[in-house]
Each structure stands twice: as C-alpha cells, then as structure tokens.
Amino acid sequence: MVEAILMMLGLGAVCGTILGIASKVFYVYEDPRIAEVEGCLAGANCGACGYAGCSAAAVAVVGGQAQANVCIIGGPESAQKVAAVMGLDPGTAEPLRSLNTCQGGKRAEDRFYYTGVKSCRALAAFYGGKRVCHIGCLGYGDCIKACKFDAIHMDPKGYPVVDEVKCVGCMACEKACPKEIINVKSMSQRLLELNCEEDALAPCRQTCPAEINIPQYIAQVREGDYEGSVRTIRERNPLLLACGRVCPHPCESYCRRGLEDEPVSINQLKRFVADLEMNSGKRYPITCAPETGKRVAIIGGGPAGLSCAYFLRRVGHHATIYEAMPKLGGMLRYGIPEYRLPKKVLDWEIDGILNLGVDYHTNVKLGVDFDVGSLVSAGYDAIFLSVGAWNDYNLNIDGEDLEGCFTGIDFLSRIGLGEKITIGRRAAVIGGGNTAIDCVRTLIRLGAREVYIVYRRTRREMPANAVEIDAAEHEGVKFHFLAAPVRVIGDERGHVKQLEYLKMELGEPDASGRRRPVPIEGSETRLDVDMLITAIGQAPDVSFKSDVTRLKDLEITRRRAIAHDPITMQSAIPYIFTGGDAATGASLVIEAIGAGRRAARSINQYVTGQKVEAPPGVLYGRHIRETLFEHVEGVRRKPRAKMPELPVDERIHSFAEADLVLSEESAVAESQRCLSCCRLCYDPDVSKVA
Amino acid sequence: MGDYIVLAISCILVNNILLAQYLGNCPFLGTSKKMETAVGMAMAVVFVLVMAGVITWIVNTYILQKYDLVFLQTIAFILVIAALVQFVEMFLKKSIPALYSGLGIFLPLITTNCAVMGVCLINMKEEYNFLQALVASFSYAVGYGLALVLFAGIRERILLARVPTPLQDTSIALVTAGILSLTFFAFKGMV
Ligand SMILES: Cc1cc2nc3c(=O)[nH]c(=O)nc-3n(C[C@H](O)[C@H](O)[C@H](O)COP(=O)(O)OP(=O)(O)OC[C@H]3O[C@@H](n4cnc5c(N)ncnc54)[C@H](O)[C@@H]3O)c2cc1C
Ligand code: SF4
C-alpha cells in the first residue's frame, strides 16, 4: 500500500515537474487576457460556439473575431464578465448581423431538374447546385429553417431577406447556407470587406475602384429609399458629393446595359442622392464601432487620407490627419476648380467626416514641421502616407522659367488659395490631362481672350475625361493637336512672347498600342502667347524621405511613388501604409478613396495584432470572366438621363457650378434603366413591364 | 517481419479499435461530419497514440512491473498520458507552430480518449514487447483514422439522402456505424 502511494506521488511529482519546466522552456507569449477570458467561459469545451473548445473561443475573443457573448452555455452572465475583461461595454459591443449578398436580377437559369430533398444543402452537393450561376442562391431556404429567431423570410422574388431587428447574429444561417451567400458579419467586417472572386458582384461593382454596391444603391433610388441609397454608398465611399461631381465613372464603361443601349448613368444617380442629403439640411446618422484605443496618424488630407480616416474611425480606431495646406481636401480643394466642385459642397462633406471624431492639424508638413520619429514617439500605432502627387513635371525646354510661365498644380492651387494672378490675354496650356483642361477652363473664367491647348497626340489619346474636353471646347478653347513644344521665346523684359512647337504625325503603334507621334522635320511653328502653363503630369513629393533615421527602408519607385503592396497598401516599413496618388502616381479620386479603405483594412489588421494580408481570391483591378457578356437580351432602348448644364455664356463668366443635378423624376426614371445585375442574372426590361 | 505485418493487419482491420472494439466513439461521431475535420482528427490520433503507446509501455515495464504495482495501471496511465499530451502541445506550440495549428485543436480533445487508453491497456494485456507495442499502437491509430475518414465520407453522402425525420443526424449516423462495423467483421477470419 505504502509503495503504491509513494509510487503514485512520485509519478505525479515527475509529471508535474516536467510540465512545470516545459511551460517555462516552451513558453510562448500569449495575451494574458486570453486566460482571463477563458476563465469567464463555461468551460464545457462543447464547441457550440463554433470554436474548437473554450481556449480557442477565448483566443478568438481577444483577437477580435468573436464577440463577448460567444459562449452559448454561459449566456449573458458570461458575456458580461468577458466584456469586463476586454474593457468593452457589452451593450455596445458590435452586433453581428446576417445579410444575403445574392440579390441579383431575375434568377439565373436552372441547369437541371431536381427532385430530391428540398434543401439547398442536398442540392448544392450536385455540381454546386442546379443553377447555372455557381454562387447563386438556390432558394430552398435552408437559412430560414436554420434560423431559430424567425429573422429570415423569403421575398417574392425568391431571395432570403433578413430582418435586422430580429437577427441576433448566431451564425446558424451562415452555417446552413451551402453556397456562402448568406453571411453573418459585424458592421466593421462589412466596411472592410474587399471584392473577391467568389462574391456576388455585378460588372459595374467589380469595376468601381472603391467597390461600391452599385446595383443596390440604384435599387434603393428606384424604391424611393434615398437615405438607404446614401448609406449604401457610404459603406464604400465617404466622398459621394465630390465623386458625384468629378468621377469619370469607370463603372459605366462596364455597365451591362451599355452592351445594347447607353449605360446607366450611375454617377449622376450618386450625385442625385448625395445632393438630396445635403439640401435636406440634416445629415443621415453614421454609426461607429466602439473605441479600440488604437491611434493612427494620417499624413495628407486629400481623398485618400480622408477615406482612410473615415473607415478607421468607423471601425473604432482613432485617426488624426496632418495636412500641409491651410485646409483639408487635397486636390479636391486645390486642384479641381470651384466651377466643378464648389468649396461649400466640399466643406460640408469634409465636416461630415470630421464630425465622426476625426482630429486634424493643418499647416503642418511632414519633413518640415514634424517627422515620422515624432509620430512614433507620440504613440501612434500606424501611419498612413497619402501626400498625393504635387510636383509638376517640367518640359525641360529653353525659356520655361520666363515670366508668365506657370506649372499646372502650382497655378491651380494658387487660384484655389485665393491668390490673384495676372492673367494674360492669349494663354497656352501644354498637356492633355485633367489638369490641363482645368487650367484652360479656369483661364477662360478669369478673362483670358484666347486659350489654347497644345498637346503632343490627338484628341483620342487625351487622358482627360471626355465630357470635360467637350465642355472646354464649348467654352471656346482652341486645340493644337500633334504639337510638341521645343522652346519658349521671351521678349526683352524676360516675359514670355511666343511658344515654338514642332508639328507631329502619327507613326507606328508603340508597346501600349497607341500610335507614337513623330516630329515632322522643319515644321517649327510659333504661337503668340503672353501666358504659358505646363500641365504634363505630376509626381509625388517624397522629399521627407531624407529622414534617414526612420525612413531609410522606405522604398521609392522609379516614378517617385511610394512602393507598396497594391492590396494591403503596406509599404516596405511594416507600420507605414500608403495610398492615393502618392502610391500610384497621378490617378483618380475614386481610386484614392478605394486605396484609403484598403489601407484602413490592413491598418486594422496591423493594430489589432493580426497578420496583414490580402484575402484569398481578391478581385481588385480584375473582372470575373464569366460575368462579362457579349450581349444581353430583353433590353428596350431608353435614352440615358441628360445631365443639365449651365448655359455656356452664363458659365464662362463665373465660377458657378457648371454641371447640375438630375431632377427627382429623371433620377427615378434612370434608376429603372438598371438591370439589377448579379453575376449571371439580370432583370430584362420585358419582365419589368409585364 | 512477417509477424509484425500480421500484427499490423490485425490491428488495422480485424480488431479495428473503432468498429470492432467500439472504443473512442465520441470523437467518432463528433468529428466525422466533415471530411476536413475527420482528417485532422485522424492525424492527431496517430500522433498521440504512438506516443502514448511507447510511454505507457516504458512506465509499465520499468516501473509498474518492477515494483509489482500492475494494479495501478489504469490510474498511472491516465496521469502519464494526460501529462504527455500537455507536454507535446506545449512543445509543438513553441517549436513547430505549423503542426500545432494543424493538430492543435484536436490534441486536448484526445487527452483522455478511451481509444488511447484502450490501446495502451490492450498492449499490456497482450504482453507485447517494445517493438510490438509500437507497431500495434501505430496500426490501431491508422485503423482509427481509416474508419473515421470512411465514415466522414459516408456521412457527407447521407446528407443528400432522404432520411426520415426521427432518424436524422446522430441516429442515422449510429445505424450507419453499425453497418460499417458489420463489414469490418468480414475480416474476422483473416488472422
Ligand atoms: C487639376 C486636377 C483635376 C483632377 N480632376 C479629376 C477628376 O475630374 N476626377 C478624378 O477622379 N480625379 C481627378 N483628379 C485626380 C485626383 O484629384 C487625385 O487623384 C486625388 O485627389 C488623389 O488623392 P490623394 O489623397 O492621393 O492626394 P491629394 O488629393 O493630392 O492630397 C494629398 C494631400 O497631402 C498633403 N500633403 C502633401 N505633402 C504633405 C506633407 N509632406 N505633409 C503633410 N501633408 C502633405 C497635400 O497638401 C494634400 O492635401 C484631378 C487632379 C488634378 C490635379
Ligand atoms: S445595368 Fe445596373 S447592375 Fe447592371 S452593370 Fe449596369 S448599373 Fe450595374
């Protein structure tokens, strides 16, 4: 007997000692809160929460993937304890809500008849389902059967609709859906989702660089739910007033309706609902997730910076913007002129973002007034560099620095700042992009008599928005195409007098498929001008890179942009992220907004201790091949809504807004032209009429 | 050599720990709903069983038998196996995080799984030598994995079948397990 007791004690002691030593030797740092949280759970290891046992659930809670109320057995008591450990208020912890993503048009066609059990799951096991569309909803409502709270019902079109009030986020529907169409996520998770190959996406939505749910916001306009429409846009784009005015809408070139008819005027509908909100005098409320206590510094208050700040704020982090200019807005304020985007509108929009609790400091420049080291010591957890592209390229020709010569951004930003610049009578602008067009249209409004555009290639190759080129032409701008400036000639007082250029002709196509202009020998021509603006593109100003203590490892590309991963937007330094023109070189507002959101997603991963990585199958910049049709049936031609404009002679004498907003009637009519596409399905006009 | 092959076959098929001896049923039903989980579990079982088989053989031969304390077998084994699994878990977490994240969640589940315990006790009852105990433990574990994976495959199919409501889920799984076990009885005469 004694032996047995001794023996068991001995064995126990040996095991205990070994384990004790092992726990020291093999110690892996773990957030101490994990153990604390685990202590608050029921400890049954039952797995009902969907995690492999209580420890796994605790890890998920601390990692932010699970909510305080994760434990099914523990109930509200455990939720309260967990919330206390995590420093969350259980009442405000972000609720999970279920949402069905497949809401396309008319059902995708059936591929085969199925007479087995009426359940999505069984059906899905056969070649992924009976529908032609491999992500499409099967419509047998397994999610409805799975829901214990009666929160899902089938709408007449056969798609499950979730009642957000009844939904408790228990995940039962998500688990029941074999096609991963219905999913349960928190607001933050939805705000930071990226388009992926397997998602239910209309072609326009795949194209939008900010990934706005276009068919949904159009459907909401159609149903008269204008507030809902604004909300849908705000899930992806906080600058809808600005985009509604200046976006060149790449989405519309992929609109399915455009295959048979004119594309839906997607952007004007955005402007319509956005203006409606502004003019209603009140702001639709925007909700933010509970504070996380993480702080992010944002350098540059242009669209990229504002978008990043907005999304970070909404998912609960604290964002502070540092801006070099006196006011926020970046190129929206200092590049794009008043007649395209009134400052009053811009101010209203930016105030909406700042109202969420975003801090900002203006008139402070990175590299001059502060550096990255000071941000790090101020305790910021991550930094977002969105300094834009503000350095004009030079032509590198003689006489470029004569009096009366300007560069594009310099000229526009000085006008934007309210500076008075003496305008010539005959002005030439060199370049074919948005900046050049904005310069000429501004010059006309400032009273120049003759305004020329001098461009190396032809009108077809001009990168500016087509509508803008037309508008400039209507306003009286003269174009000199196929003209390559060779020198600027000054008068005796050092003032610009003439521009000499060579005529060009189009030669062989180059690598990009554009025919390259080649100079015609001896075709020198002189143009009399007394003012000259060079607007041939701009590059980011990365002079702050001279800070070698902190930014030694920051990589700069050949085109002077900040090197980054195009999805995570992380730079070569892990805690520094970038986006917008600073990362890509001069691009579009909507691209900057999308980049701001992608960066916010990665910054969220970074500051919450997750791995910064792109989701598998991320779609950014690509299309899902099967969704691009050759043609669509059942489309009845209906002309696209015409954009109302200020008459030419009225607009060339003032900076009043030139493009106007659609009337409610034409907006609703326009929304009815949308085919409500999903991947394969769409609503033919015929069925809508019938 | 031949003996070992016979031993292996008898442990994998004839005396399959799950379907012939009916040990380790809870994870058999619990983790066989999805192929992925089943495979994860099978790997973890192979891992733990081999370790447990070896260590319990050592404890039994050099401690219990030596001091004539074989009656303490059960309780001593529980202690040793539990400590072993804990140790392995810590070790993997630190040294082979990839393997840990693959097996990790299943390891604690099988700490005191009856199949593990059962195999160790059978090894002792049959008075295997060290090599035999090793081969037997490994083979039993492979048999366990085989049955689990087969069963998971069947259960994924059953989802498509029209099962009467009262028989759905666990009940049909048990009926199926019974039939599957009958088929394994066909190996009875082999060894
Ligand atoms: C004249 C013009 C017309 C355009 N028209 C259109 C159009 O019609 N449609 C369209 O989609 N796009 C248009 N664009 C492009 C669009 O404006 C830009 O792509 C977009 O503004 C880029 O946003 P961003 O946030 O990256 O940079 P920016 O808007 O350039 O903002 C960068 C901000 O960072 C600040 N900053 C810079 N350096 C520092 C520093 N060291 N420290 C602190 N702050 C700093 C700047 O002051 C600025 O506020 C136009 C651009 C120009 C120049
Ligand atoms: S018809 Fe509507 S949903 Fe389809 S591509 Fe055009 S705007 Fe998008």
Side-chain angles (χ1 to χ4, degrees):
Chain A
M1 190 59 206
V2 184
E3 273 174 344
I5 292 171
L6 278 181
M7 148 75 208
M8 281 317 293
L9 280 179
L11 206 56
V14 171
C15 288
T17 325
I18 293 181
L19 283 184
I21 295 171
S23 71
K24 274 267 176 289
V25 175
F26 299 125
Y27 174 73
V28 181
Y29 174 77
E30 225 177 33
D31 197 324
R33 290 179 303 176
I34 294 180
E36 272 185 73
V37 169
E38 195 177 343
C40 307
L41 306 177
N45 266 326
C46 64
C49 54
Y51 294 95
C54 299
S55 342
V59 171
V61 170
V62 175
Q65 294 101 349
Q67 302 296 312
N69 57 2
V70 61
C71 185
I72 306 286
I73 299 185
E77 208 175 302
S78 137
Q80 251 161 25
K81 281 197 241 158
V82 174
V85 173
M86 296 298 298
L88 296 172
D89 176 357
T92 60
E94 249 197 294
L96 291 162
R97 286 290 173 269
S98 166
L99 196 73
N100 164 31
T101 50
C102 171
Q103 303 162 314
K106 199 169 155 245
R107 269 268 135 74
E109 278 159 60
D110 283 354
R111 183 165 41 185
F112 52 80
Y113 284 108
Y114 176 74
T115 51
V117 199
K118 298 283 182 237
S119 99
C120 308
R121 195 177 176 100
L123 191 45
F126 289 108
Y127 321 106
K130 69 166 176 171
R131 306 257 185 238
V132 176
C133 175
H134 88 275
I135 53 107
C137 169
L138 292 165
Y140 282 134
D142 278 17
C143 47
I144 299 178
K145 285 173 225 154
C147 182
K148 297 200 168 56
F149 302 91
D150 194 22
I152 313 182
H153 66 271
M154 207 44 105
D155 86 343
K157 282 200 243 152
Y159 292 102
V161 180
V162 181
D163 180 345
E164 286 213 17
V165 181
K166 287 186 187 161
C167 175
V168 300
C170 68
M171 304 265 186
C173 50
E174 179 176 312
K175 281 186 204 134
C177 178
K179 298 193 97 182
E180 296 174 22
I181 292 165
I182 197 146
N183 44 51
V184 180
K185 294 208 168 106
S186 65
M187 178 187 77
S188 298
Q189 286 169 324
R190 282 195 206 288
L191 283 174
L192 300 180
E193 246 174 1
L194 302 187
N195 281 354
C196 288
E197 283 158 4
E198 295 299 303
D199 293 345
L201 304 169
C204 50
R205 193 175 164 195
Q206 297 170 31
T207 315
C208 176
E211 312 191 340
I212 303 173
N213 190 343
I214 293 167
Q216 180 170 323
Y217 89 68
I218 298 184
Q220 283 162 324
V221 173
R222 188 163 53 223
E223 288 152 15
D225 177 13
Y226 302 135
E227 177 168 349
S229 184
V230 167
R231 274 180 204 291
T232 305
I233 301 171
R234 281 229 172 92
E235 295 217 333
R236 293 289 178 269
N237 178 352
L239 296 169
L240 49 169
L241 282 166
C243 281
R245 285 169 167 74
V246 306
C247 188
H249 41 70
C251 53
E252 292 180 18
S253 2
Y254 276 86
C255 175
R256 224 171 247 169
R257 190 169 193 103
L259 294 169
E260 307 290 335
D261 191 2
E262 291 169 293
V264 176
S265 192
I266 300 174
N267 199 41
Q268 293 208 48
L269 289 173
K270 180 185 302 126
R271 165 149 186 203
F272 167 72
V273 287
D275 276 24
L276 210 69
E277 183 197 7
M278 181 177 62
N279 296 332
S280 76
K282 67 172 189 5
R283 292 175 190 274
Y284 302 143
I286 301 175
T287 36
C288 295
E291 296 266 357
T292 58
K294 301 286 178 198
R295 296 167 64 228
V296 181
I298 290 172
I299 319 300
L306 288 168
S307 155
C308 188
Y310 165 86
F311 285 106
L312 286 171
R313 186 64 211 98
R314 284 200 68 184
V315 302
H317 306 307
H318 192 90
T320 310
I321 302 177
Y322 291 85
E323 166 60 54
M325 299 295 273
K327 282 182 155 187
L328 297 178
M331 283 299 178
L332 293 178
R333 185 182 299 280
Y334 297 110
I336 297 178
E338 172 82 15
Y339 63 88
R340 283 217 281 146
L341 174 59
K343 304 286 175 275
K344 217 175 79 216
V345 174
L346 184 62
D347 288 339
W348 193 87
E349 183 137 272
I350 294 177
D351 281 347
I353 296 174
L354 299 178
N355 284 348
L356 300 177
V358 171
D359 282 341
Y360 68 101
H361 305 280
T362 49
N363 287 319
V364 283
K365 186 163 185 185
L366 174 70
V368 178
D369 303 302
F370 64 101
D371 57 15
V372 170
S374 57
L375 294 176
V376 172
S377 44
Y380 285 107
D381 298 286
I383 296 174
F384 180 60
L385 282 180
S386 53
V387 294
W390 281 56
N391 272 2
D392 288 295
Y393 285 128
N394 287 327
L395 277 168
N396 294 326
I397 56 172
D398 279 344
E400 223 180 332
D401 38 14
L402 287 172
E403 206 180 308
C405 290
F406 297 84
T407 53
I409 302 301
D410 176 54
F411 172 74
L412 287 172
S413 62
R414 280 162 65 183
I415 299 282
L417 276 167
E419 204 176 303
K420 290 268 170 292
I421 294 179
T422 345
I423 302 298
R425 289 169 62 85
R426 297 165 59 85
V429 175
I430 303 170
N434 276 322
T435 315
I437 299 282
D438 283 339
C439 289
V440 289
R441 294 183 71 188
T442 303
L443 285 169
I444 288 199
R445 284 165 174 76
L446 290 174
R449 291 280 166 77
E450 298 272 320
V451 181
Y452 308 102
I453 283 244
V454 178
Y455 182 50
R456 219 153 53 93
R457 301 176 190 242
T458 66
R459 184 183 189 124
R460 275 240 319 277
E461 280 95 16
M462 283 180 76
N465 311 348
V467 264
E468 296 285 318
I469 305 176
D470 291 344
E473 192 170 27
H474 294 159
E475 291 170 8
V477 172
K478 301 205 175 65
F479 293 85
H480 287 268
F481 291 117
L482 289 169
V486 281
R487 67 189 169 117
V488 187
I489 302 160
D491 58 15
E492 52 294 347
R493 280 174 297 124
H495 197 92
V496 51
K497 195 171 104 207
Q498 281 177 320
L499 170 70
E500 182 174 305
Y501 64 84
L502 266 180
K503 290 197 176 146
M504 317 278 271
E505 58 189 356
L506 287 181
E508 295 298 305
D510 63 6
S512 69
R514 300 201 294 182
R515 289 177 63 192
R516 247 175 41 146
V518 280
I520 308 172
E521 293 276 335
S523 65
E524 283 88 351
T525 317
R526 290 186 180 183
L527 183 67
D528 288 330
V529 291
D530 50 10
M531 183 173 185
L532 183 75
I533 301 179
T534 322
I536 52 166
Q538 53 282 357
D541 172 7
V542 288
S543 50
F544 51 78
K545 160 84 168 130
S546 56
D547 166 11
V548 282
T549 33
R550 291 276 175 184
L551 295 181
K552 190 160 69 54
D553 294 335
L554 192 73
E555 278 172 36
I556 304 291
T557 65
R558 251 190 2 196
R559 302 172 58 200
R560 281 196 279 154
I562 302 170
H564 65 286
D565 176 307
I567 306 298
T568 65
M569 309 312 285
Q570 197 170 30
S571 74
I573 302 176
Y575 64 89
I576 297 186
F577 298 78
T578 183
D581 286 1
T584 56
S587 177
L588 300 179
V589 175
I590 194 70
E591 191 62 62
I593 292 171
R597 192 174 69 95
R598 291 201 299 284
R601 175 181 175 277
S602 315
I603 293 175
N604 177 57
Q605 286 176 330
Y606 182 80
V607 299
T608 53
Q610 303 166 51
K611 194 164 163 222
V612 176
E613 59 185 354
V618 64
L619 196 63
Y620 172 72
R622 292 182 297 136
H623 284 92
I624 304 165
R625 178 100 53 75
E626 68 189 77
T627 63
L628 302 181
F629 291 2
E630 298 275 297
H631 72 114
V632 275
E633 252 152 69
V635 173
R636 294 192 183 158
R637 307 198 97 214
K638 263 189 285 181
R640 166 182 161 108
K642 267 251 157 307
M643 178 181 69
E645 286 174 306
L646 220 57
V648 171
D649 26 329
E650 219 171 290
R651 72 188 193 219
I652 58 172
H653 297 302
S654 80
F655 274 86
E657 194 167 12
D659 299 347
L660 305 175
V661 64
L662 292 181
S663 68
E664 175 160 1
E665 195 187 342
S666 43
V668 172
E670 186 62 25
S671 70
Q672 277 157 353
R673 295 179 69 230
C674 174
L675 299 170
S676 303
C677 311
C678 202
R679 286 175 79 128
L680 293 183
C681 56
Y682 59 92
D683 253 343
D685 290 331
V686 206
S687 77
K688 257 183 266 178
V689 177
Chain B
M1 189 63 203
D3 287 354
Y4 289 109
I5 294 177
V6 171
L7 178 65
I9 289 181
S10 101
C11 296
I12 297 177
L13 297 175
V14 184
N15 293 320
N16 186 295
I17 188 85
L18 258 176
L19 295 171
Q21 322 229 22
Y22 259 88
L23 285 172
N25 254 295
C26 0
F28 182 54
L29 291 170
T31 60
S32 61
K33 279 193 186 150
K34 265 210 196 127
M35 191 53 99
E36 245 170 87
T37 1
V39 172
M41 180 70 185
M43 308 270 267
V45 168
V46 172
F47 194 78
V48 170
L49 245 181
V50 172
M51 306 266 288
V54 169
I55 198 109
T56 48
W57 188 90
I58 294 172
V59 169
N60 193 53
T61 318
Y62 293 107
I63 304 178
L64 299 181
Q65 282 179 354
K66 203 156 173 199
Y67 299 104
D68 224 6
L69 293 170
V70 179
F71 63 93
L72 281 178
Q73 225 172 31
T74 314
I75 189 162
F77 283 7
I78 291 178
L79 185 67
V80 171
I81 296 174
L84 175 77
V85 174
Q86 286 293 319
F87 180 83
V88 169
E89 204 187 336
M90 281 190 239
F91 173 76
L92 288 186
K93 199 166 176 182
K94 175 85 179 180
S95 317
I96 324 177
L99 189 61
Y100 176 76
S101 53
L103 298 183
I105 53 168
F106 298 106
L107 283 178
L109 278 183
I110 29 184
T111 311
T112 43
N113 179 313
C114 48
V116 178
M117 194 65 196
V119 169
C120 297
L121 292 174
I122 293 172
N123 283 350
M124 304 311 133
K125 201 176 88 203
E126 300 286 335
E127 299 185 345
Y128 287 146
N129 65 27
F130 182 76
L131 215 52
Q132 280 170 326
L134 184 66
V135 171
S137 314
F138 178 74
S139 311
Y140 274 127
V142 169
Y144 189 98
L146 176 74
L148 190 61
V149 169
L150 276 181
F151 193 53
I154 297 176
R155 280 187 86 174
E156 286 194 344
R157 290 296 167 118
I158 289 182
L159 278 174
L160 307 186
R162 221 186 275 245
V163 179
T165 320
L167 282 183
Q168 271 167 12
D169 214 33
T170 312
S171 8
I172 192 76
L174 281 169
V175 173
T176 322
I179 299 173
L180 190 61
S181 130
L182 277 182
T183 61
F184 269 71
F185 270 82
F187 294 114
K188 265 279 152 13
M190 251 175 80
V191 184

